Amino acid sequence: MKKLNVLVFPCGSENAGEIAQSLRYSLHVNRLIGASSVEDHGRFHFSDYIGDVPFIHDPAFNGYFGDLLKTQQIDVIFATHDTVCEKLAGMAELAGCYLVNGDPHTTQLARRKSLTYQAFAGTDWVPEMYPPGAEPQHWPVIVKPDCGQGGNGVVLAADAQQLAQAITTMDMPVIVEYLPGREVTVDCFTDRNGKLVWAGPRTRERIRAGIAMRSTLLPVDDEIATIAAEINERVTLRGPWFFQLKQDRFDRWKLLEISCRVAGTMVAQRARGVNLPLMALHDYMGRDVSPLVTPHVTLIERAIRTRADTALQYEHVYVDFDDTLIINGQPNPTVLAFLYQCRVDGKRLYLITRHVHEPIETLHRAAISPLLFDEIIHLKEGEKKSAYISGPAIFIDNYFPERLDVAQREDVLVLDVDAVDFYIK
């Protein structure tokens, strides 16, 4: 079977980054392309990047996007935002492309809380809804935007006055019972035959901008398993999806929302061996999928990662030896990772050092192959490294006077050891 051209749109979000990480080494992917309407982190997630895509409400979007799919020969599309997923699901211009979890009815239902709760009315796991003007039976209540996601725009109203104020300041408000208990997200996968292959609950701890930065992986209890099965039975799903639950005052799970897309913290499932985006590609190719779960991972922690961009089109990378490539006799994994990345990108690599011993012997003792380098420059005492450097280049050295000397060159980017991580893809 041919390798696939996969498009992720929009590509600058956390969940887009998770898709990129999930698929970057897949043998089944020919091109992994990110597209975005704004200049954001997508350029760092995807080396194959398309910017300046019209916004989805722009009249030019449909034609532009249809042409993009044809010219890039896209096979599979991952939409990373609920509104984008709903938009793409209704486009005739997608003919011939597979939109992951792109059923038009399901994407519309998942985008609106009111439609979600109506679809599952009669179950004991849908929160009690109050139509506008009705007197809630219990206070406080929650007021949330019909088309919101996560906790964005959610208001807690303790009495009728606060409720009236919340309603007047919110577009399309939905009023539901207050759920004071624990909250979980359940990451799921449904295959092409409608079979629920995976349901993995996880906690939402230390929330930042709606993203769970810490998540504990939980076993599936009977109550959660029943809810997952009923959702899967009532709506058309195929691929990764998730739903969120919160406990009411009686510790019963109630539905917050469902979504037809990959979630950013689905990385928790991948950490224990369940790569949901990759499973979507196998399912698209007509293969049966089954998760291979490791029992040894129960917690994931996330943090903001910073990447730097340079306009310097460097062709050479020079790296110091002692206390840079090797620290306390052991190889520096971060520097080595960057060097191998540069080798893959076709850069020329140079080890430049005044090492007191024969560099090749020390490299062997540290289990680093001398073949990694295009040249090993062994300087004599008193010789300046700057005299041996050809730009445009990157120069990595832990010693400030060396960096200061080389930094006089306008065509050389100098890095201390701690800064190398900024440039690892």
Side-chain angles (χ1 to χ4, degrees), residues 268-284:
Q269 308 301 337
R270 186 163 61 89
R272 64 170 168 180
V274 185
N275 187 331
L276 297 171
L278 183 58
M279 286 168 63
L281 297 191
H282 282 282
D283 180 73
Y284 168 73

Side-chain angles (χ1 to χ4, degrees), residues 23 46 50 74 120 155 167 171 202 204 214 254 275 283-284 315 347-348 360 381 393 402 415:
L23 302 181
F46 298 87
I50 300 171
I74 300 300
F120 303 110
V155 175
I167 290 174
D171 184 35
R202 54 180 167 84
R204 287 171 52 79
R214 180 185 176 95
K254 296 291 182 71
N275 187 331
D283 180 73
Y284 168 73
E315 300 172 0
K347 314 299 183 185
R348 293 182 62 82
I360 291 179
E381 193 64 36
E402 299 279 21
L415 302 177

Side-chain angles (χ1 to χ4, degrees), residues 1 5 25 61 83 90 110 123 128 151 165 201 203 225 234 272-273 283 308 336 360 378 393 395 402 421:
M1 182 172 289
N5 293 331
Y25 299 120
F61 175 80
T83 302
T123 62
E128 186 173 0
Q165 182 178 3
T203 62
R234 293 197 182 201
R272 64 170 168 180
D283 180 73
L336 273 173
I360 291 179
H378 197 184
F395 173 68
E402 299 279 21
D421 186 60

